[in-house]
Amino acid sequence: MFQFKTLQTKMLVSFISLVLIPVIGLGIFSYTIATRFLEKQTMQNQVQIIRLIAGNIQNMLDDATDLSSFIVGNETIQSLLSVASPPYSGDPQKTIFNYLSNLKIAKKYISFIILYGENEFIYKDFSGFFRQVVPYEEFKDSPLYMATAARNGQSHLDYSGSPLFIYAHNYNDIVLGRRILSLYDADKKLGMFFLGINRDALREAIQDVQISRTTNLLLFDDNYHLVASKLDDKEMSNHFKDNVNEIQNLLEPNQTWIYKIANKKYLAANTSIASYRWNIVSLTPMEDIQRQYGIVLISTIVLSFSLLLIAVVVSILLSKSITLPIKKLLRSMNNFKRGDFNQKVAVESKDEIGLFTQKYNEMVAELNDLIQKVYISQTNQKMIELKTLQAQIEPHFLYNTLDYIFFSSKINGDNQTARVVHSLSELFRLSLNKGEDFYKLENEMNQIKAYINIQHARFPNRFTPIYHIDSTIGHCITMKLLLQPIVENAILHAFESKTDQQGVLLIRSYVQGSDIVWTVQDNGCGMNTDQVEQLLHIPVRSKGGYGLRNVNERLQMMFGSEYALRINSVLDVGTTVIVRIPIIENEEQWGKLYESHGH
């Protein structure tokens, strides 16, 4: 067996060996768990995100389908297409033409509207640029006409609307067509209606979502045409072009799987838009995921080496703490052996070494008493008091629960509940603010919007919120929960009385000199002067209404009496609450202000 020359070396090697094995095992275990979690999280994110995209696209297609159903069933259009010689002027025609034109402007995804009548009437409206429309009689020979007519009044989505136009051009449209049937005689055909859906609108619905920088999202229609993609990947586009079998394989109902394109592996996930038999596929290169594995591996190695380094330092300190008293004893014994009988080694611990040192001191003291007749005093020991810290449960459980309710509501199609839960989660996160009593103004505004979203869900018809916010002040610092009591007071009391007038809650912010001004204005029931005075100076022991008083006192305590709340109110007209705070650019300025006023 290997012999060590010093006890310190022996202990150091033993400590390092004991620490090295657990550190290596912990590093391997952590890397395995982290990579599995990363892959699982990537899969879950892809599935959840493409489902959200599918919902957004389905909402757009449903909206276009509903609009087409309303238009073909409109009484004015029905009357216009039922007569032999349709007039192109008159109030009813002007009204419906204005409606169609405004509809195209309001719905940004609509690229054109074309209305053919069997009585030779034609209406056409385009966004972007004019197109020459094919005459109706010629259009009747096209596959688009036949496919739309075969649906007998039901909507039909087609990959391209190019057959509607004379000049051959690869127009960037998906066309929604519907045969117009008489409301009073289902066998009577009045014409055809076509609505163009701009592919860019569908592409924007995909591009607005970020899974990873290299993840591509593909949208296929029911005829396996590539409608839109997130990335301009020519190799991938060529791979799927006119390759129906490959697309069918890609659209098999799997959760996630590994898909291979030209020797390149992708983590794939798909979901369908069942109502239209469209599909969305996400493809993330495995090399990007494995690159993240590399980051995890490097982080694990760095952490393991850091732990090992700390262990070495602690081992050295610990071994020294054990061997140093022994060395002192040996030095003292050598001095005693040479005739220096006034030896005493300090007792620095209560373990065996400390006990041995104490016995040595007693022995030396007895010997020295016989030789020199002196007394050696004992040292007093100090007691160390231990303090226990009470653990706090962080609000992660609450956030995770709200996130679960949010995604469950989304998956189940309950968008209203999902929005309210998302707003509630945002409200809790911003209100808690990691225990800090200040945050940025943009957080204050996000907190107010979350609160208003929740209240608007409770009282959907009570008021309409309007925001006029100066975006340049979002980085400035303010105290928490400054506007929420004011907004709450307006929502619960200003619009409480039933009235035919629609409630409006206007929130504005702007810079005035060296101050930031916020106004919360409503067109509610208003207050008289006595009510305003009571609201600002309500007694401390009052059971309610202390929110505005609390805000008023906090403003004056933090910034001075000149920053007190101002309330302008007129009965039956409305109320405006004005909040002024100084411009505070950073946390250092806030800290100085807090120390001088708020502490």
Side-chain angles (χ1 to χ4, degrees):
M1 186 175 179
F2 184 76
Q3 298 292 325
F4 296 98
K5 292 184 178 180
T6 63
L7 178 61
Q8 182 176 352
T9 303
K10 183 177 181 180
M11 295 179 64
L12 182 60
V13 172
S14 300
F15 288 151
I16 293 177
S17 299
L18 289 174
V19 172
L20 185 61
I21 295 174
V23 166
I24 293 175
L26 181 62
I28 295 174
F29 176 77
S30 300
Y31 173 74
T32 304
I33 294 298
T35 52
R36 288 180 181 177
F37 174 79
L38 180 62
E39 184 172 346
K40 182 178 180 181
Q41 193 70 22
T42 303
M43 291 179 179
Q44 291 177 347
N45 288 343
Q46 289 196 186
V47 172
Q48 292 172 356
I49 289 175
I50 63 176
R51 285 177 180 172
L52 291 176
I53 296 173
N56 294 336
I57 293 176
Q58 179 165 348
N59 289 339
M60 184 185 299
L61 297 178
D62 286 346
D63 186 51
T65 303
D66 293 342
L67 287 174
S68 68
S69 177
F70 171 77
I71 292 171
V72 300
N74 181 270
E75 287 284 352
T76 303
I77 291 179
Q78 289 271 328
S79 299
L80 194 63
L81 300 180
S82 297
V83 297
S85 299
Y88 285 85
S89 60
D91 290 339
Q93 289 79 4
K94 183 178 180 181
T95 300
I96 193 62
F97 292 164
N98 287 339
Y99 171 78
L100 292 176
S101 180
N102 292 333
L103 178 66
K104 178 179 59 60
I105 295 173
K107 302 295 183 179
K108 300 300 183 183
Y109 63 82
I110 297 179
S111 57
F112 66 81
I113 294 176
I114 297 176
L115 187 65
Y116 285 117
E118 298 292 342
N119 57 357
E120 298 184 358
F121 174 83
I122 184 171
Y123 171 84
K124 50 192 175 182
D125 194 4
F126 307 95
S127 62
F129 56 88
F130 177 78
R131 311 181 194 181
Q132 189 68 34
V133 178
V134 173
Y136 190 37
E137 291 302 322
E138 295 181 16
F139 175 66
K140 288 182 177 181
D141 296 329
S142 67
L144 176 58
Y145 173 87
M146 296 176 185
T148 305
R151 298 301 297 271
N152 197 28
Q154 297 299 316
S155 63
H156 169 69
L157 279 170
D158 201 272
Y159 177 72
S160 173
S162 296
L164 285 164
F165 309 110
I166 291 178
Y167 297 107
H169 192 281
N170 186 21
Y171 291 111
N172 197 30
D173 308 305
I174 301 293
V175 64
L176 186 149
R178 189 189 288 267
R179 180 185 282 282
I180 305 175
L181 302 177
S182 174
L183 296 176
Y184 309 102
D185 183 1
D187 294 329
K188 185 177 181 180
K189 301 173 178 58
L190 300 181
M192 287 283 191
F193 172 79
F194 294 97
L195 182 148
I197 300 174
N198 197 322
R199 292 176 192 267
D200 290 337
L202 298 173
R203 189 176 294 111
E204 288 174 3
I206 295 175
Q207 289 178 335
D208 289 342
V209 178
Q210 185 72 25
I211 299 178
S212 72
R213 185 177 57 84
T214 57
T215 297
N216 201 357
L217 298 173
L218 308 175
L219 176 62
F220 295 96
D221 67 6
D222 55 340
N223 288 318
Y224 306 110
H225 292 122
L226 179 59
V227 177
S229 63
K230 179 179 176 61
L231 302 178
D232 187 15
D233 191 332
K234 294 182 179 179
E235 180 181 358
M236 190 173 294
S237 299
N238 293 332
H239 178 76
F240 292 117
K241 185 177 182 181
D242 300 327
N243 195 345
V244 175
N245 292 332
E246 193 69 24
I247 296 174
Q248 288 177 335
N249 294 333
L250 185 65
L251 301 182
E252 288 184 0
N254 297 313
Q255 277 283 7
T256 53
W257 72 100
I258 303 300
Y259 187 76
K260 193 173 182 180
I261 300 177
N263 297 323
K264 189 174 182 180
K265 294 182 179 179
Y266 295 85
L267 180 64
N270 66 35
T271 190
S272 64
I273 307 175
S275 303
Y276 301 94
R277 296 189 298 169
W278 286 26
N279 290 273
I280 298 177
V281 179
S282 69
L283 296 172
T284 301
M286 287 300 298
E287 60 184 19
D288 288 350
I289 300 177
Q290 292 168 355
R291 189 178 299 116
Q292 297 180 28
Y293 291 172
I295 297 175
V296 173
L297 178 60
I298 293 174
S299 302
T300 303
I301 293 174
V302 171
L303 180 60
S304 299
F305 272 107
S306 300
L307 291 175
L308 185 60
L309 180 62
I310 293 173
V312 170
V313 174
V314 172
S315 299
I316 293 173
L317 295 177
L318 185 60
S319 62
K320 282 187 175 181
S321 68
I322 294 174
T323 57
L324 187 60
I326 297 176
K327 290 179 179 179
K328 289 181 179 179
L329 280 172
L330 290 174
R331 193 181 303 114
S332 177
M333 289 177 182
N334 289 329
N335 292 335
F336 189 86
K337 181 180 179 181
R338 287 194 294 265
D340 185 359
F341 302 116
N342 294 318
Q343 294 296 313
K344 184 179 180 180
V345 180
V347 179
E348 299 176 350
S349 63
K350 294 184 178 181
D351 54 14
E352 288 80 358
I353 295 178
L355 182 61
F356 179 73
T357 303
Q358 183 179 351
K359 294 299 181 182
Y360 169 77
N361 287 337
E362 291 176 358
M363 181 191 68
V364 171
E366 291 176 0
L367 292 175
N368 199 34
D369 181 54
L370 294 174
I371 299 173
Q372 300 182 2
K373 303 295 183 181
V374 294
Y375 296 96
I376 301 176
S377 62
Q378 300 291 325
T379 60
N380 296 325
Q381 304 289 328
K382 291 185 179 181
M383 302 298 294
I384 302 174
E385 297 181 353
L386 301 177
K387 295 182 180 180
T388 59
L389 297 176
Q390 182 178 4
Q392 264 190 341
I393 299 176
E394 296 183 354
H396 292 157
F397 174 77
L398 176 61
Y399 296 151
N400 292 337
T401 302
L402 290 175
D403 286 343
Y404 170 76
I405 299 173
F406 169 76
F407 284 115
S408 295
S409 300
K410 270 292 187 181
I411 292 172
N412 293 327
D414 190 356
N415 294 328
Q416 176 69 12
T417 301
R419 285 193 294 269
V420 172
V421 171
H422 182 268
S423 298
L424 181 59
S425 177
E426 185 72 1
L427 184 68
F428 274 125
R429 183 182 67 80
L430 294 172
S431 298
L432 293 174
N433 195 36
K434 300 180 181 179
E436 298 290 345
D437 60 350
F438 65 93
Y439 51 31
K440 294 182 180 180
L441 280 175
E442 61 182 4
N443 290 340
E444 174 75 7
M445 197 61 231
N446 291 337
Q447 196 262 359
I448 288 300
K449 288 181 178 179
Y451 176 78
I452 289 178
N453 288 339
I454 296 172
Q455 292 288 36
H456 201 261
R458 292 180 60 203
F459 312 112
N461 300 319
R462 179 173 286 191
F463 69 100
T464 299
I466 300 176
Y467 306 95
H468 292 163
I469 307 301
D470 187 350
S471 60
T472 62
I473 63 174
H475 67 285
C476 295
I477 304 296
T478 184
M479 65 177 68
K480 291 196 307 184
L481 298 175
L482 190 60
L483 299 180
Q484 187 271 337
I486 302 172
V487 173
E488 180 181 14
N489 191 70
I491 294 174
L492 297 182
H493 300 294
F495 308 119
E496 188 177 17
S497 301
K498 293 184 178 180
T499 177
D500 294 333
Q501 181 182 2
Q502 174 65 36
V504 176
L505 183 64
L506 174 61
I507 300 177
R508 299 176 58 216
S509 70
Y510 56 91
V511 176
Q512 188 178 69
S514 61
D515 294 335
I516 295 172
V517 180
W518 289 83
T519 63
V520 180
Q521 180 179 352
D522 65 73
N523 62 343
C525 59
M527 298 179 288
N528 56 38
T529 305
D530 292 337
Q531 289 175 315
V532 172
E533 187 67 17
Q534 291 175 4
L535 196 61
L536 287 177
H537 302 94
I538 191 166
V540 176
R541 297 182 181 272
S542 175
K543 293 183 179 180
Y546 53 84
L548 288 181
R549 177 183 60 79
N550 179 272
V551 172
N552 190 34
E553 289 179 356
R554 288 167 60 209
L555 283 170
Q556 296 183 70
M557 182 183 298
M558 193 69 192
F559 306 122
S561 58
E562 64 271 23
Y563 288 94
L565 277 181
R566 289 171 50 198
I567 301 179
N568 301 326
S569 186
V570 180
L571 276 174
D572 299 325
V573 175
T575 302
T576 301
V577 181
I578 303 173
V579 180
R580 289 175 59 248
I581 60 173
I583 296 177
I584 304 174
E585 296 283 348
N586 50 56
E587 295 183 13
E588 182 179 358
Q589 294 179 10
W590 174 268
K592 292 180 180 178
L593 182 67
Y594 186 81
E595 291 174 358
S596 60
H597 293 284
H599 188 59

